[in-house]
Amino acid sequence: MERQASDKNILNQFCNDFCEILEDHVEYIVVSGFVAIASGRTRGTEDIDIIIREMKRNDFEELHKNLVERGFVCIQSPDSDEIYDYLKNKTSVRYSRKDVPLPEIELKFGKDKLDDYQFKTKERLPLIGLNVWFSSVNMNVAFKEELLKSPKDLEDADYLRKIYKDRINEEEIGKVKQMINELRL
Amino acid sequence: MRETHQDQIERWADFVKNNPDKWRSIHNQFINSLFQNHQRIYKELSKTREGKKKLIEIYGIKNLEGFPSLQD
């Protein structure tokens, strides 16, 4: 059954609206805490982390222009050149709706083989009811258990393991953990 | 024995799995209340110059064009 707009909470609607614009410009994946929260985990958050493929300056300018036309603003700067420089320097940039600082999107360029692999294994998650791309459940579990490791992240990982029991693949999680150790630790 | 936080998370995960028609509205209310409360505080603080300063600092806002309520 097609889900109605009213089924979406403020955070889901925000993510949906932002990703709808990204979809026309660049490959993207929603990662980390939002995957657990949108899957029903009851905890607070202020941001949604999104990784996009690295873009050329002109292409990013188009994307930024489109975001602004649709009511989003970059919290750090109105200037697409400056925002692009942040992204190129591996600094994330934050977008929110105009005059509403929260929730916010934390956006960054993919940076290494591990991010490439996240793009390659991205998936839709029907439970969430959003037509957006997520990094895989196995990826999220591996990142939270091997790299992030805060109590909140470990609880997220436990929750994802339970809620997506049918998608959990220990071999895949182990492989990603190994990549994390090689590339990020 | 007192329920631990981990027990609560597992109990809620079971509820989500076993009640596909019920969990979303409860969850939506929880998430919406967080942001509605934030929006209320934002509006209240942005009425005064001191409040605007606080908000700009808290959220690290450098693009004031995007936040008309925070402009003097």
Side-chain angles (χ1 to χ4, degrees):
Chain A
M1 196 174 70
E2 197 59 35
R3 209 169 278 290
Q4 300 298 305
S6 57
D7 284 350
K8 295 186 184 78
N9 61 48
I10 291 170
L11 198 58
N12 286 8
Q13 188 67 55
F14 177 69
C15 180
N16 186 74
D17 294 349
F18 196 87
C19 290
E20 217 171 69
I21 301 167
L22 288 180
E23 194 91 44
D24 292 337
H25 295 267
V26 65
E27 189 177 7
Y28 71 90
I29 37 172
V30 178
V31 302
S32 206
F34 181 71
V35 181
I37 292 165
S39 301
R41 171 113 148 85
T42 45
R43 72 163 173 86
T45 190
E46 296 190 337
D47 57 20
I48 297 171
D49 297 300
I50 297 182
I51 302 175
I52 57 174
R53 290 277 192 192
E54 190 165 327
M55 306 171 77
K56 290 181 182 154
R57 191 175 287 271
N58 288 350
D59 294 336
F60 179 76
E61 192 179 341
E62 280 302 306
L63 166 62
H64 175 72
K65 196 176 142 207
N66 206 184
L67 286 167
V68 171
E69 282 166 359
R70 303 270 289 270
F72 291 95
V73 294
C74 177
I75 292 171
Q76 286 109 312
S77 170
D79 176 30
S80 85
D81 266 338
E82 193 182 346
I83 301 165
Y84 186 81
D85 289 340
Y86 279 124
L87 289 167
K88 278 294 270 184
N89 289 324
K90 304 196 187 311
T91 304
S92 57
V93 296
R94 298 178 292 138
Y95 280 88
S96 71
R97 292 199 199 272
K98 189 170 184 175
D99 217 13
V100 185
L102 293 182
E104 64 181 32
I105 297 285
E106 197 159 327
L107 192 70
K108 58 184 175 186
F109 283 158
K111 63 179 178 188
D112 57 16
K113 261 169 59 183
L114 196 56
D115 286 338
D116 279 343
Y117 191 67
Q118 296 211 74
F119 281 113
K120 212 190 290 179
T121 53
K122 68 184 178 184
E123 56 192 13
R124 307 268 193 199
L125 295 172
L127 172 72
I128 294 176
L130 291 179
N131 195 28
V132 305
W133 288 107
F134 294 95
S135 63
S136 75
V137 169
N138 292 310
M139 267 284 180
N140 277 287
V141 168
F143 265 93
K144 284 176 177 295
E145 289 179 350
E146 195 71 7
L147 184 67
L148 303 168
K149 287 184 176 174
S150 73
K152 172 194 76 181
D153 290 302
L154 295 175
E155 286 169 3
D156 281 355
D158 280 350
Y159 183 83
L160 290 172
R161 280 180 174 279
K162 182 130 199 161
I163 217 81
Y164 292 113
K165 214 171 185 172
D166 51 331
R167 286 178 185 249
I168 291 294
N169 177 339
E170 294 299 343
E171 200 181 319
E172 174 71 1
I173 292 171
K175 180 181 162 184
V176 175
K177 285 183 177 177
Q178 200 177 330
M179 288 171 83
I180 290 171
N181 277 290
E182 284 165 16
L183 295 162
R184 300 279 174 96
L185 293 175
Chain B
M1 200 169 71
R2 193 167 171 266
E3 191 180 49
T4 64
H5 186 47
Q6 189 58 35
D7 292 336
Q8 287 170 12
I9 292 169
E10 292 205 4
R11 189 162 49 81
W12 175 250
D14 283 337
F15 183 83
V16 171
K17 283 181 85 169
N18 299 325
N19 296 274
D21 299 330
K22 289 184 187 165
W23 74 269
R24 196 178 297 276
S25 68
I26 298 168
H27 187 256
N28 282 353
Q29 278 178 43
F30 171 76
I31 297 290
N32 286 343
S33 68
L34 296 174
F35 292 105
Q36 283 158 355
N37 193 42
H38 162 261
Q39 193 54 24
R40 190 178 59 77
I41 299 289
Y42 179 79
K43 274 187 186 154
E44 198 54 39
L45 282 175
S46 61
K47 286 178 186 167
T48 67
R49 182 170 284 189
E50 202 49 42
K52 287 177 190 182
K53 267 192 193 168
K54 283 180 189 167
L55 289 166
I56 290 166
E57 198 183 319
I58 288 167
Y59 296 112
I61 294 171
K62 293 179 183 156
N63 172 15
L64 276 178
E65 283 172 35
F67 298 87
S69 301
L70 301 182
Q71 292 167 12
D72 277 328

